[in-house]
Amino acid sequence: MMSEKHLPLEAMHEEAGARFGAFAGWRMPLTYPAGVMKEHIHTREKAGLFDISHMQLFAVDGPGAAAFLARACPLDAAALGEGKSKYTVLLTDAAGIIDDLIVTRLGPDRFMVVANAGNAAKDEAHFRKIAEDFDVRFTPLKRVLLALQGPDAESVLLGAGLDLSDLTFMTAVEPRENWFASRSGYTGEDGFEIALPPDEARTFAEKILADERAMWIGLAARDSLRLEAGLCLHGQDLDEITDPASAAILWAIPKPLREQGRFIGADALRRILAEGPRETRIGLKPEGRQPVRAGAVLMTEDGRTVGRVTSGGFGPSVNHPIAMGYVAEDASAVGTPLFAEVRGNRIPMNVHPLPFSPHRYRRG
């Protein structure tokens, strides 16, 4: 049994009264004394500060960096502008999703990759094997990663001495030595991720929290926020038996790459696209007030099993239960009535458009 990993700022979370739990091998703050409902709404209305240092940053540099990333991911890395970020995936040979990533170009031969905590070791091994064929250095970085999300995020950062007002959604910059900042996020709100050396992190977090508009937000509200935004959690909504077409993330793979790309998993993805995916990811709105959780079986009115719920809970901003899942293509149209099996009860629900809560990214 591997020992649990600890966040560099763990003492700050303890001082803030966090309730901790295990996530992806880390001891993570789940909620703070305000509670998940207030934390969630605070992020939508003001600015929520998330410690996401469990996520792994990798520096990729060298003359072969763009070619290496284009082989590893369905990504035209050579065409990515400097300071631009792109959502992409790591695929198996069968086009299963090993992880979803954000890749940013920092210079002609320099890139940053942000990977999910639970997959960091697997991703690194996968990348290193591919790197053997390229003139590239692949380096895991030790950084604290903070996300500040919500309509007041830009203003709060300015007060903390960091001006990122020139950034727009999915752009990034290195504002100081060994710092990396991007304007994106996992809540559907305008916001930023700032990676910085651990020895500078506490002072910076304290400057942010000195602004009364900012407060710590735990993993529980991070989950309800991303679910309202219709965003996937790897290990639940995405995994190695799910392909990008079924997962409804083909928008992340440019059409020329789908047709001609030489990335790992390209041939399998082309076969899937030619045959059509067997199932598709959808939003679900349960009737009534009872949330439907991951693992619930989805059925049609006549009792035919057509899919499963992969994420579910209550949406504080929309004030009703919400869920995502996968269903057969013929049951995926918005408005289709379905039933979830929950402890012997059949809960009626309808296929609902994603996202549940509108995205408010700063696009330009």
Side-chain angles (χ1 to χ4, degrees), residues 301-330:
E301 279 175 294
D302 58 9
R304 178 170 64 101
T305 297
V306 287
R308 67 202 179 281
V309 173
T310 52
S311 282
F314 189 78
S317 307
V318 295
N319 197 31
H320 59 73
I322 54 175
M324 285 196 303
Y326 284 82
V327 294
E329 285 287 308
D330 64 357

mmCIF file of all heavy atoms in Angstrom, residues 301-330:
data_model
loop_
_atom_site.group_PDB
_atom_site.id
_atom_site.type_symbol
_atom_site.label_atom_id
_atom_site.label_comp_id
_atom_site.label_asym_id
_atom_site.label_seq_id
_atom_site.Cartn_x
_atom_site.Cartn_y
_atom_site.Cartn_z
ATOM 1 N N GLU A 301 -38.312 3.242 -20.844
ATOM 2 C CA GLU A 301 -39.590 3.011 -20.168
ATOM 3 C C GLU A 301 -39.991 1.537 -20.181
ATOM 4 O O GLU A 301 -40.625 1.054 -19.249
ATOM 5 C CB GLU A 301 -40.692 3.865 -20.821
ATOM 6 C CG GLU A 301 -40.679 5.304 -20.309
ATOM 7 C CD GLU A 301 -41.679 6.184 -21.031
ATOM 8 O OE1 GLU A 301 -41.497 6.418 -22.246
ATOM 9 O OE2 GLU A 301 -42.638 6.633 -20.374
ATOM 10 N N ASP A 302 -39.602 0.836 -21.253
ATOM 11 C CA ASP A 302 -39.989 -0.585 -21.339
ATOM 12 C C ASP A 302 -38.970 -1.518 -20.679
ATOM 13 O O ASP A 302 -39.043 -2.741 -20.837
ATOM 14 C CB ASP A 302 -40.244 -0.999 -22.793
ATOM 15 C CG ASP A 302 -39.030 -0.758 -23.688
ATOM 16 O OD1 ASP A 302 -37.942 -0.431 -23.150
ATOM 17 O OD2 ASP A 302 -39.151 -0.888 -24.922
ATOM 18 N N GLY A 303 -38.019 -0.925 -19.917
ATOM 19 C CA GLY A 303 -37.104 -1.745 -19.125
ATOM 20 C C GLY A 303 -35.833 -2.187 -19.834
ATOM 21 O O GLY A 303 -35.045 -2.951 -19.288
ATOM 22 N N ARG A 304 -35.589 -1.677 -21.049
ATOM 23 C CA ARG A 304 -34.364 -2.033 -21.781
ATOM 24 C C ARG A 304 -33.187 -1.230 -21.214
ATOM 25 O O ARG A 304 -33.257 -0.001 -21.097
ATOM 26 C CB ARG A 304 -34.555 -1.723 -23.273
ATOM 27 C CG ARG A 304 -33.336 -1.991 -24.154
ATOM 28 C CD ARG A 304 -33.704 -1.887 -25.630
ATOM 29 N NE ARG A 304 -34.125 -0.534 -25.997
ATOM 30 C CZ ARG A 304 -33.337 0.354 -26.633
ATOM 31 N NH1 ARG A 304 -32.092 0.043 -26.962
ATOM 32 N NH2 ARG A 304 -33.802 1.554 -26.939
ATOM 33 N N THR A 305 -32.103 -1.921 -20.852
ATOM 34 C CA THR A 305 -30.901 -1.242 -20.343
ATOM 35 C C THR A 305 -30.173 -0.582 -21.510
ATOM 36 O O THR A 305 -29.818 -1.247 -22.483
ATOM 37 C CB THR A 305 -29.975 -2.245 -19.628
ATOM 38 O OG1 THR A 305 -30.671 -2.772 -18.498
ATOM 39 C CG2 THR A 305 -28.696 -1.576 -19.151
ATOM 40 N N VAL A 306 -29.957 0.750 -21.399
ATOM 41 C CA VAL A 306 -29.326 1.483 -22.505
ATOM 42 C C VAL A 306 -28.054 2.212 -22.097
ATOM 43 O O VAL A 306 -27.383 2.800 -22.939
ATOM 44 C CB VAL A 306 -30.310 2.503 -23.145
ATOM 45 C CG1 VAL A 306 -31.369 1.794 -23.961
ATOM 46 C CG2 VAL A 306 -30.921 3.418 -22.097
ATOM 47 N N GLY A 307 -27.703 2.190 -20.806
ATOM 48 C CA GLY A 307 -26.491 2.910 -20.426
ATOM 49 C C GLY A 307 -26.279 2.956 -18.933
ATOM 50 O O GLY A 307 -26.833 2.153 -18.182
ATOM 51 N N ARG A 308 -25.464 3.931 -18.503
ATOM 52 C CA ARG A 308 -25.047 4.020 -17.102
ATOM 53 C C ARG A 308 -24.728 5.473 -16.764
ATOM 54 O O ARG A 308 -24.339 6.255 -17.642
ATOM 55 C CB ARG A 308 -23.820 3.139 -16.857
ATOM 56 C CG ARG A 308 -22.587 3.636 -17.590
ATOM 57 C CD ARG A 308 -21.523 2.568 -17.807
ATOM 58 N NE ARG A 308 -20.374 3.112 -18.533
ATOM 59 C CZ ARG A 308 -20.346 3.303 -19.852
ATOM 60 N NH1 ARG A 308 -21.389 3.034 -20.600
ATOM 61 N NH2 ARG A 308 -19.252 3.797 -20.429
ATOM 62 N N VAL A 309 -24.892 5.815 -15.515
ATOM 63 C CA VAL A 309 -24.499 7.137 -15.015
ATOM 64 C C VAL A 309 -23.019 7.071 -14.627
ATOM 65 O O VAL A 309 -22.576 6.122 -13.981
ATOM 66 C CB VAL A 309 -25.368 7.537 -13.798
ATOM 67 C CG1 VAL A 309 -24.868 8.825 -13.160
ATOM 68 C CG2 VAL A 309 -26.830 7.669 -14.216
ATOM 69 N N THR A 310 -22.232 8.086 -15.015
ATOM 70 C CA THR A 310 -20.804 8.117 -14.666
ATOM 71 C C THR A 310 -20.480 9.208 -13.639
ATOM 72 O O THR A 310 -19.502 9.101 -12.908
ATOM 73 C CB THR A 310 -19.938 8.307 -15.923
ATOM 74 O OG1 THR A 310 -20.402 9.444 -16.659
ATOM 75 C CG2 THR A 310 -19.997 7.066 -16.817
ATOM 76 N N SER A 311 -21.280 10.276 -13.597
ATOM 77 C CA SER A 311 -21.129 11.332 -12.586
ATOM 78 C C SER A 311 -22.518 11.817 -12.220
ATOM 79 O O SER A 311 -23.359 11.984 -13.108
ATOM 80 C CB SER A 311 -20.340 12.534 -13.138
ATOM 81 O OG SER A 311 -18.958 12.285 -13.182
ATOM 82 N N GLY A 312 -22.746 12.071 -10.948
ATOM 83 C CA GLY A 312 -24.053 12.580 -10.556
ATOM 84 C C GLY A 312 -24.015 13.224 -9.187
ATOM 85 O O GLY A 312 -23.165 12.894 -8.356
ATOM 86 N N GLY A 313 -24.936 14.149 -8.965
ATOM 87 C CA GLY A 313 -25.012 14.826 -7.669
ATOM 88 C C GLY A 313 -26.047 15.914 -7.739
ATOM 89 O O GLY A 313 -26.933 15.902 -8.598
ATOM 90 N N PHE A 314 -25.913 16.886 -6.823
ATOM 91 C CA PHE A 314 -26.841 18.011 -6.802
ATOM 92 C C PHE A 314 -26.134 19.225 -7.386
ATOM 93 O O PHE A 314 -24.957 19.449 -7.103
ATOM 94 C CB PHE A 314 -27.317 18.293 -5.372
ATOM 95 C CG PHE A 314 -28.440 19.287 -5.302
ATOM 96 C CD1 PHE A 314 -29.753 18.895 -5.597
ATOM 97 C CD2 PHE A 314 -28.201 20.617 -4.992
ATOM 98 C CE1 PHE A 314 -30.797 19.817 -5.573
ATOM 99 C CE2 PHE A 314 -29.235 21.547 -4.951
ATOM 100 C CZ PHE A 314 -30.540 21.142 -5.243
ATOM 101 N N GLY A 315 -26.830 20.018 -8.202
ATOM 102 C CA GLY A 315 -26.262 21.243 -8.777
ATOM 103 C C GLY A 315 -26.738 22.457 -8.004
ATOM 104 O O GLY A 315 -27.853 22.924 -8.229
ATOM 105 N N PRO A 316 -25.930 22.992 -7.084
ATOM 106 C CA PRO A 316 -26.386 24.127 -6.268
ATOM 107 C C PRO A 316 -26.791 25.359 -7.078
ATOM 108 O O PRO A 316 -27.724 26.067 -6.697
ATOM 109 C CB PRO A 316 -25.172 24.431 -5.380
ATOM 110 C CG PRO A 316 -24.442 23.130 -5.283
ATOM 111 C CD PRO A 316 -24.606 22.494 -6.632
ATOM 112 N N SER A 317 -26.108 25.633 -8.193
ATOM 113 C CA SER A 317 -26.443 26.835 -8.977
ATOM 114 C C SER A 317 -27.738 26.668 -9.754
ATOM 115 O O SER A 317 -28.443 27.639 -10.013
ATOM 116 C CB SER A 317 -25.325 27.176 -9.969
ATOM 117 O OG SER A 317 -24.091 27.255 -9.320
ATOM 118 N N VAL A 318 -28.050 25.436 -10.163
ATOM 119 C CA VAL A 318 -29.270 25.193 -10.945
ATOM 120 C C VAL A 318 -30.410 24.686 -10.057
ATOM 121 O O VAL A 318 -31.551 24.580 -10.494
ATOM 122 C CB VAL A 318 -29.002 24.227 -12.119
ATOM 123 C CG1 VAL A 318 -28.050 24.867 -13.113
ATOM 124 C CG2 VAL A 318 -28.441 22.882 -11.648
ATOM 125 N N ASN A 319 -30.067 24.341 -8.806
ATOM 126 C CA ASN A 319 -31.040 23.959 -7.782
ATOM 127 C C ASN A 319 -31.850 22.708 -8.136
ATOM 128 O O ASN A 319 -33.036 22.631 -7.865
ATOM 129 C CB ASN A 319 -31.970 25.139 -7.454
ATOM 130 C CG ASN A 319 -32.708 24.913 -6.135
ATOM 131 O OD1 ASN A 319 -32.189 24.268 -5.228
ATOM 132 N ND2 ASN A 319 -33.930 25.423 -6.037
ATOM 133 N N HIS A 320 -31.169 21.747 -8.751
ATOM 134 C CA HIS A 320 -31.794 20.435 -8.950
ATOM 135 C C HIS A 320 -30.700 19.386 -9.167
ATOM 136 O O HIS A 320 -29.553 19.741 -9.462
ATOM 137 C CB HIS A 320 -32.803 20.455 -10.121
ATOM 138 C CG HIS A 320 -32.219 20.854 -11.451
ATOM 139 N ND1 HIS A 320 -31.397 20.039 -12.193
ATOM 140 C CD2 HIS A 320 -32.362 21.999 -12.174
ATOM 141 C CE1 HIS A 320 -31.044 20.647 -13.321
ATOM 142 N NE2 HIS A 320 -31.617 21.842 -13.324
ATOM 143 N N PRO A 321 -31.023 18.100 -9.018
ATOM 144 C CA PRO A 321 -30.021 17.067 -9.268
ATOM 145 C C PRO A 321 -29.580 17.074 -10.737
ATOM 146 O O PRO A 321 -30.377 17.413 -11.623
ATOM 147 C CB PRO A 321 -30.752 15.758 -8.936
ATOM 148 C CG PRO A 321 -31.935 16.149 -8.130
ATOM 149 C CD PRO A 321 -32.313 17.526 -8.594
ATOM 150 N N ILE A 322 -28.317 16.725 -10.961
ATOM 151 C CA ILE A 322 -27.762 16.649 -12.319
ATOM 152 C C ILE A 322 -26.888 15.412 -12.426
ATOM 153 O O ILE A 322 -26.395 14.895 -11.414
ATOM 154 C CB ILE A 322 -26.939 17.913 -12.661
ATOM 155 C CG1 ILE A 322 -25.851 18.162 -11.598
ATOM 156 C CG2 ILE A 322 -27.833 19.142 -12.797
ATOM 157 C CD1 ILE A 322 -24.919 19.329 -11.924
ATOM 158 N N ALA A 323 -26.696 14.944 -13.648
ATOM 159 C CA ALA A 323 -25.853 13.764 -13.862
ATOM 160 C C ALA A 323 -25.333 13.769 -15.291
ATOM 161 O O ALA A 323 -25.848 14.475 -16.165
ATOM 162 C CB ALA A 323 -26.652 12.489 -13.583
ATOM 163 N N MET A 324 -24.291 12.973 -15.511
ATOM 164 C CA MET A 324 -23.804 12.673 -16.858
ATOM 165 C C MET A 324 -23.671 11.160 -16.956
ATOM 166 O O MET A 324 -23.483 10.475 -15.947
ATOM 167 C CB MET A 324 -22.434 13.307 -17.134
ATOM 168 C CG MET A 324 -22.470 14.788 -17.384
ATOM 169 S SD MET A 324 -20.960 15.445 -18.160
ATOM 170 C CE MET A 324 -19.680 14.958 -17.019
ATOM 171 N N GLY A 325 -23.741 10.673 -18.171
ATOM 172 C CA GLY A 325 -23.572 9.243 -18.356
ATOM 173 C C GLY A 325 -23.440 8.907 -19.820
ATOM 174 O O GLY A 325 -23.317 9.797 -20.676
ATOM 175 N N TYR A 326 -23.457 7.619 -20.102
ATOM 176 C CA TYR A 326 -23.354 7.122 -21.473
ATOM 177 C C TYR A 326 -24.585 6.296 -21.796
ATOM 178 O O TYR A 326 -25.015 5.474 -20.975
ATOM 179 C CB TYR A 326 -22.101 6.253 -21.624
ATOM 180 C CG TYR A 326 -20.829 7.063 -21.692
ATOM 181 C CD1 TYR A 326 -20.216 7.532 -20.528
ATOM 182 C CD2 TYR A 326 -20.243 7.385 -22.914
ATOM 183 C CE1 TYR A 326 -19.050 8.292 -20.578
ATOM 184 C CE2 TYR A 326 -19.079 8.144 -22.980
ATOM 185 C CZ TYR A 326 -18.490 8.588 -21.811
ATOM 186 O OH TYR A 326 -17.347 9.350 -21.873
ATOM 187 N N VAL A 327 -25.132 6.531 -22.990
ATOM 188 C CA VAL A 327 -26.273 5.730 -23.444
ATOM 189 C C VAL A 327 -26.063 5.324 -24.902
ATOM 190 O O VAL A 327 -25.270 5.946 -25.628
ATOM 191 C CB VAL A 327 -27.619 6.496 -23.328
ATOM 192 C CG1 VAL A 327 -27.978 6.758 -21.877
ATOM 193 C CG2 VAL A 327 -27.598 7.787 -24.134
ATOM 194 N N ALA A 328 -26.810 4.300 -25.319
ATOM 195 C CA ALA A 328 -26.825 3.908 -26.728
ATOM 196 C C ALA A 328 -27.275 5.089 -27.569
ATOM 197 O O ALA A 328 -28.061 5.928 -27.119
ATOM 198 C CB ALA A 328 -27.762 2.718 -26.917
ATOM 199 N N GLU A 329 -26.752 5.161 -28.807
ATOM 200 C CA GLU A 329 -27.058 6.286 -29.693
ATOM 201 C C GLU A 329 -28.560 6.542 -29.824
ATOM 202 O O GLU A 329 -29.002 7.686 -29.856
ATOM 203 C CB GLU A 329 -26.466 6.014 -31.089
ATOM 204 C CG GLU A 329 -24.962 6.197 -31.171
ATOM 205 C CD GLU A 329 -24.540 7.659 -31.126
ATOM 206 O OE1 GLU A 329 -25.059 8.451 -31.917
ATOM 207 O OE2 GLU A 329 -23.699 8.010 -30.282
ATOM 208 N N ASP A 330 -29.364 5.471 -29.864
ATOM 209 C CA ASP A 330 -30.804 5.659 -30.100
ATOM 210 C C ASP A 330 -31.546 6.193 -28.867
ATOM 211 O O ASP A 330 -32.746 6.450 -28.912
ATOM 212 C CB ASP A 330 -31.460 4.364 -30.594
ATOM 213 C CG ASP A 330 -31.414 3.234 -29.575
ATOM 214 O OD1 ASP A 330 -30.827 3.422 -28.485
ATOM 215 O OD2 ASP A 330 -31.965 2.156 -29.855
#
